Amino acid sequence: MAAIGKTKLDSGWLAARSTEVSLSGIQLTTTHPPSIGTSPWMEAVVPGTVLATLVKNKVVPDPFYGLENESIIDIADSGREYYTFWFFTTFRCKLSGTQHLDLNFRAINYSADVYLNGHKTVLPKGMFRRHSLDVTDVVHPDGENLLAVLVYPPDNPGSIPPEGGQGGDHEIGKDVATQYVEGWDWICPIRDRNTGIWDEVSISVTGPVKIIDPHLVSTFFDNYKRVYLHTTTELENKSTQSAECSLNIQVTTELKGNFCLVEHVQTQHLSIPAGSRVHYTFPELFFYKPNLWWPNGMGKQSLYKVSITVDVKGYGESDLWGQLFGFRKIQSHIDTVTGGRLFKVNGQPIFIRGGNWILSDGLLRLSKKRYKTDIKFHADMNFNMIRCWGGGLAERPDFYHYCDIYGLLVWQEFWITGDVDGRGIPVSNPDGPLDHDLFLLCARDTVKLLRNHPSLALWVGGNEQVPPDDINTALKNDLRLHPHFEKSVNESGKSTEDLSPVLRDPSQYLDGTRVYIQGSMWDGFANGKGDFTDGPYEIQNPEDFFKDDYYKYGFNPEVGSVGMPVSATIRATMPPEGWQIPLFKKVSEYYEEVPNPIWEYHKYIPYSKPGKVHDQILLYGSQPKDLDDFCLKAQLVNYIQYRALLEGWTSRMWTKYTGVLIWKTQNPWTGLRGQFYDHLLDQTAGFYGCRCAAEPIHVQLNLDTYLIEVVNTTLEELSDVAVEASVWDLEGTCPYYKVHEKVSVPPKRTVPIAEMKYPKSKNPKPVYFLLLKLYHKSDYRIISRNFYWLHLSGGDYKLLEPYRKKTVPLKFTSAVFIKGNTYEMHMRVQNTSKKPDAKTLTYQNNFTTKQGDGDFDTASVDCVQDGAGTKNEVSWLQKISRRFTKETDDLKVAEINGANIGVAFFLHFSVHGVKKNHKEGEDTRILPVHYSDNYFSLVPGEAMPIKISFEVPPGVTPRVTLAGWNYHGVHTVH
């Protein structure tokens, strides 16, 4: 007898082009099964796409490398048959006589014929729908089962005009599929249009009764003290007899040490007629003061495990289902002060700082491991929302799982985008997909797939467009709110808190808990009327983000800019001809950047806007001399650009703005714009500019007024704190030092503290550094640290070019903790060019505990330094070692000697692998790496704790290296 439950079929797949296979599906799954190594069959990527399989087998080159995509035939030129592929695998499943087996496809693009042991089933069209086939009668209970799937591309793959454009010729919009695949201004065309079995395939064993799509909803009363869990599930009796069932629900919470606390257990009895489906609603479960789920930066992401099982009389356990669930309430309304949409979580307003997201990988090589890195990166940047753009995916449960874990609210759009649905050249079809019923079927199925995730915050009809009237009306009706989740006071003035019991159980709705907005620029986003008031999408003068006239509306769903990666990524993703930096062509008093053809193909966006923004890279001196110089200066600009963007928005928190979403956080291919980490998973400096600017409590400089401001997005008042402002010049002296001690900041407020007056002082230096620290007066523990490099009004940073010749001494004290192939390094970096100034104690950079900081809680790294003693360093490491399982904790000390006194500027670590048989020019980076901070600077005497964690491939020895503005070459520090 097979165990009840699901088994993934994610390995052992073969694939072949249909025109190269002479056998029928019946033959493939009966008498002539294919085998690996037999032409034309190759190892397949499932889940994945046809193109991902061809790339894996080197049948075609990597379309993301250089201009190789141009050498791959496009479906418009080859015809749909060229990308129509067979996928084949086998599985075993020993069923008893009363068990049932379902074959499940969580998503296929675009339609398919399924053959199992010679029996054919047609899977209907639609990229965003699940398929579940009862194969009990055709499965071999005691032997091998042969499964072949013939996958057809989208019906309307379209063609790519010579000039490219948004969504090619827009034909893909006629199908219910991803729309980016014909190319956009940030990605090249995907040649197979993502044809394939692109999501999970599984078999599931049940008894007579199957559990289908339970819906979990929590309602709150008495200021969140009294909470009810509502649950409705569909049950299918697959047998020919009436089933007497015991339906069980259990809610547990995880405690320390792998123990679970059972919060609730409930059993209900019901009878299900033979061959029928029924919906059953459990009696509500009561919780008193449960741990709530909060977004990143507002509190913990408390999650409970909800388990449902069904036992059938005379059979036993028939099916089981489980889901992590967070108790939380999300509301939003149009704010009367700003006109922007204001979100509340558990009754508390949350200032939205997040980013736009397309998908993890353009070839749909999706994995839990990559999703975990993607979402953790967003949490590391202190973001609290991700917008899933309408031209991309309805994201997968694995994506949402990690958003639940790390506290990222999700704005999920359906598959409408204006460029493909009513705009463009030629003008696209304004009526959306050809099959409106199919669109709605996929939308409803997507809601059922994702609705139990606490991170899911709202549904949106489309990007810069409203769905066709009939679809929009249906979605509004399907996704109408249950009365409990409407705004806190209804039209009669009666508080919805008094609605008990409420009208119909909320778990009986399709969703009922999340607002539906018809489009990304409607109803509190952009100008709220659908006019094109999102953007801009290019480089800005950093001070402009702080000005009254920069953006008129309360919530900008898309504002974009540059995103050049580091030089190692360019070398890893382009041939040498792609390593040529842009030509700088003078246009009047401005410079225009002219990129090489490979950069242009990879959608490079320049660091200048002639007529508006002087080239921000040329601010650092003469034209960059080579790729390394260009990319390093680009990182300086990335950091300033994105920190200023977020600080400008946060400066007007609640007075002008309710939120902002940056276009975009990453690229699903090797693109050269709008990203905080590249497709290889190496972060740009913009990542750390965002991480700094979006911290929950933050000290910042208003670049327009030069007022020092403190931002408090938390729920607690900030009191008994002080702000230290110190200016450091290029000679390593501190000409300006000021402490502002009478500081208190109410919750959810931005408060100006005082003007930073150094630029108005006598003989200010043309280029200088500013270090701001917000700290507790009682123990000098740092709450927020922010480092700026600045020039006087109308100036530039050209004096930083000769500063590169200055090398200041650094000392590194580190320990490594190893568990399996995971390394965690704790490092203390100190600028030893001179002893700290006696008038400040904040140089130790003892950071206060940061709520929800997860893996990177810098409070776990106590920096105790009273000069230069190894004893204190050992004590510091002993405190760390008590927190981690370790196999080695050797204390290591490394030093970089230097004769100069000054700021160690723009230091950045990287991790490399040392292995035998190293090839010249090979990219040695180990990626991804999580850093508690990077691209940081240290003033004389200052020390900084840094935590670094990464996984090491087998057979590789890691080494951590350091580079910086005034550190040339690569310095190995561990």
Side-chain angles (χ1 to χ4, degrees), residues 568-569 571-572 680 912 918-919 921-927:
T569 291
R571 291 190 175 93
L680 304 183
H912 297 260
H918 173 73
K919 299 176 183 176
E922 183 180 357
D923 186 8
T924 61
R925 288 173 297 171
I926 292 175
L927 296 171

Side-chain angles (χ1 to χ4, degrees), residues 536-545 547 550 560-562 584-593 605-620 637 640-641 791 795 797:
Y537 301 93
E538 63 271 320
I539 194 77
Q540 303 291 308
N541 293 308
E543 62 272 17
D544 289 350
F545 292 115
K547 294 180 178 178
Y550 177 69
S561 192
V562 292
F584 290 84
K585 178 181 175 184
K586 192 161 187 179
V587 180
S588 185
E589 75 237 54
Y590 292 87
Y591 280 87
E592 178 184 358
E593 293 180 23
I605 185 171
Y607 282 73
S608 65
K609 186 171 176 57
K612 183 179 180 183
V613 181
H614 285 284
D615 193 284
Q616 298 292 289
I617 287 177
L618 293 183
L619 289 179
Y620 292 90
V637 183
I640 289 178
Q641 184 75 182
H791 58 70
Y797 296 113

Side-chain angles (χ1 to χ4, degrees), residues 661-771:
L661 299 174
I662 298 173
W663 182 267
K664 40 192 191 352
T665 55
Q666 51 77 250
N667 275 299
W669 78 306
T670 49
L672 300 180
R673 63 165 62 192
Q675 60 187 354
F676 300 126
Y677 59 94
D678 59 47
H679 193 251
L680 304 183
L681 300 177
D682 200 354
Q683 301 102 327
T684 73
F687 183 106
Y688 296 96
C690 285
R691 180 176 174 83
C692 172
E695 58 187 347
I697 300 174
H698 180 62
V699 61
Q700 64 184 38
L701 181 70
N702 185 310
L703 295 180
D704 182 40
T705 65
Y706 268 55
L707 287 173
I708 296 171
E709 301 169 338
V710 175
V711 179
N712 180 11
T713 65
T714 73
L715 310 181
E716 304 294 332
E717 181 177 2
L718 197 60
S719 59
D720 194 34
V721 296
V723 173
E724 177 188 82
S726 59
V727 167
W728 298 82
D729 60 25
L730 298 183
E731 286 72 48
T733 62
C734 181
Y736 178 93
Y737 180 83
K738 182 74 173 176
V739 174
H740 306 279
E741 291 195 315
K742 296 181 179 180
V743 175
S744 65
V745 186
K748 303 183 287 291
R749 284 280 301 278
T750 298
V751 174
I753 303 303
E755 184 181 359
M756 200 283 290
K757 295 183 178 180
Y758 176 74
K760 296 179 180 179
S761 65
K762 188 177 181 180
N763 298 320
K765 300 296 177 68
V767 176
Y768 60 94
F769 303 111
L770 171 67
L771 179 59

